[in-house]
Amino acid sequence: MFIFRPLLISLGLLISANTLAREVNVTVPLDYGLIRNVLISQLFTGEGQSARLWKDGKECSFLDLSNPQIAGQNGQIKIDNDVHAKFGAKMGGKCMTLVKWNGILETLQKPTLDKTGTVLSFPVTSTNAFDSKGQKLDIAQLQDLLQQVVAPKLADLKIDLNKSRDDIIKTLLPYVPAEDSEQLHDAVNSLRFNGVKVDDKNILLNLGFKANVKPADTHPVDALSADELLQWQTIWQDWQASLEKGIDQLPLTNEMAANRDTLHNVLQNAGTAFEQGLTVDHEKDHDPVRQFINESWDQLAPLLRSVSQQLPGAESLRYLTLIAATDLMYEVESIGSPFGLEISANGLRKIVRSYIKHNAGQAS
């Protein structure tokens, strides 16, 4: 049960998109709120964010978990779940309740890497159950069920790099020049977990990767032709329409809802800056693409972090990817230019041409 697969894909995109020329280690913090969103979207899919983890064949006995709460504790993650359990027997065609128990199941789970550095798992190291008054569970049958059925299912959570490498490559390939596609494959295949730690707010994943890197090409790249610009405008209009719809559908609280206009404005400014970068020659110190990133990020990043806490699992992790990738941008460019690309008008022109060429190949 690969609960965290959407998370892995997002992390893979972040790391592979910023591959460097040497062995590089990057620490990526995974907020517990984001992990909880993923857990709910993948496992707690029943009514009221619940999961029925066991039932008998007569529908008279069952065990439900709900409302998971995740935190860090002494180097492990602690997951508290509401428990609703009932044991019954069928008599005269009806279920008679014999035992009913409500309380909290607390599991401590130790993030653990396998020997290859490609699988992160969360084995359970301890389980405790308490009723609403804080009294420990003393029902032997229910204790056995929690140990033998529930704990193994929670322990089956995994982040498996091997299951996402193809997805990472497929997603990134349209944006990478054809001559650098082999480098992309090598970079993704080198991706490994090098370490994992837990603090009060996050799981801290240390990821390592290798790739050859080109020095940044400072030679001017030709502006888009009229035909290329028309193709780009069609692509951007489709993207913008999708993003605008997504912004309008964000489930924001009243306090955050006022920031929809900010998101819309940033998107409009992006379209203007990108088209200027693609079509107009400019001095290096007045690069419209870089200026847009520099001027917008301080305003946008805190908003995205707040918004991400209110979204379902996969969507919230896309925001995490954007935030982390942009935070790393300056560090990456200080070392070199991944896949010969850079955050600039020059870099954008290369990316757009690669994407247009890829689309043309897909259509033929």
Side-chain angles (χ1 to χ4, degrees), residues 197-260:
K197 293 182 179 179
V198 173
D199 66 17
D200 291 341
K201 296 182 179 180
N202 307 283
I203 292 177
L204 302 172
L205 273 177
N206 186 277
L207 295 105
F209 50 96
K210 296 179 181 178
N212 295 322
V213 71
K214 297 178 179 180
D217 186 357
T218 58
H219 292 91
V221 177
D222 290 340
L224 265 59
S225 67
D227 180 61
E228 289 173 328
L229 178 60
L230 184 61
Q231 293 180 70
W232 160 252
Q233 288 172 335
T234 300
I235 292 168
W236 176 254
Q237 286 167 7
D238 288 343
W239 286 354
Q240 184 173 1
S242 177
L243 290 169
E244 295 277 7
K245 182 179 179 181
I247 291 170
D248 289 334
Q249 292 178 345
L250 287 174
L252 303 181
T253 61
N254 290 336
E255 180 181 352
M256 291 296 299
N259 290 302
R260 290 185 198 274

Side-chain angles (χ1 to χ4, degrees), residues 77 110 187 208 222 283 288 300 343:
I77 62 169
K110 180 72 173 178
D222 290 340
E283 297 294 329
L300 190 58
I343 305 300

Side-chain angles (χ1 to χ4, degrees), residues 144-174:
D144 290 343
L145 195 60
L146 291 174
Q147 290 285 351
Q148 297 172 16
V149 177
V150 177
K153 289 186 177 181
L154 291 174
D156 201 29
L157 306 180
K158 289 182 175 66
I159 299 176
D160 189 341
L161 281 173
N162 295 318
K163 292 187 174 293
S164 290
R165 297 188 197 275
D166 289 345
D167 289 334
I168 295 167
I169 292 171
K170 182 179 179 181
T171 302
L172 289 174
L173 202 56

Side-chain angles (χ1 to χ4, degrees), residues 179 213-221 284 333 336-347 350:
E179 61 269 22
V213 71
K214 297 178 179 180
D217 186 357
T218 58
H219 292 91
V221 177
K284 182 178 180 180
E333 286 202 315
S337 176
F339 308 127
L341 302 178
E342 56 183 307
I343 305 300
S344 66
N346 264 6
K350 295 176 186 178

Side-chain angles (χ1 to χ4, degrees), residues 44 52 56 107 141 144 167 220 270 294:
F44 291 81
R52 178 149 295 181
D56 68 358
T107 60
Q141 185 180 2
D144 290 343
D167 289 334
N294 289 343

Side-chain angles (χ1 to χ4, degrees), residues 112-186:
T112 304
L113 298 176
D114 73 342
K115 293 181 180 180
T116 67
T118 58
V119 179
L120 174 64
S121 60
F122 300 85
V124 174
T125 62
S126 72
T127 61
N128 289 290
F130 308 87
D131 64 18
S132 59
K133 297 180 180 179
Q135 298 296 315
K136 278 197 170 186
L137 173 67
D138 61 358
I139 303 172
Q141 185 180 2
L142 182 52
Q143 287 176 328
D144 290 343
L145 195 60
L146 291 174
Q147 290 285 351
Q148 297 172 16
V149 177
V150 177
K153 289 186 177 181
L154 291 174
D156 201 29
L157 306 180
K158 289 182 175 66
I159 299 176
D160 189 341
L161 281 173
N162 295 318
K163 292 187 174 293
S164 290
R165 297 188 197 275
D166 289 345
D167 289 334
I168 295 167
I169 292 171
K170 182 179 179 181
T171 302
L172 289 174
L173 202 56
Y175 305 96
V176 175
E179 61 269 22
D180 292 314
S181 61
E182 183 176 351
Q183 182 190 150
L184 172 63
H185 283 79
D186 291 343

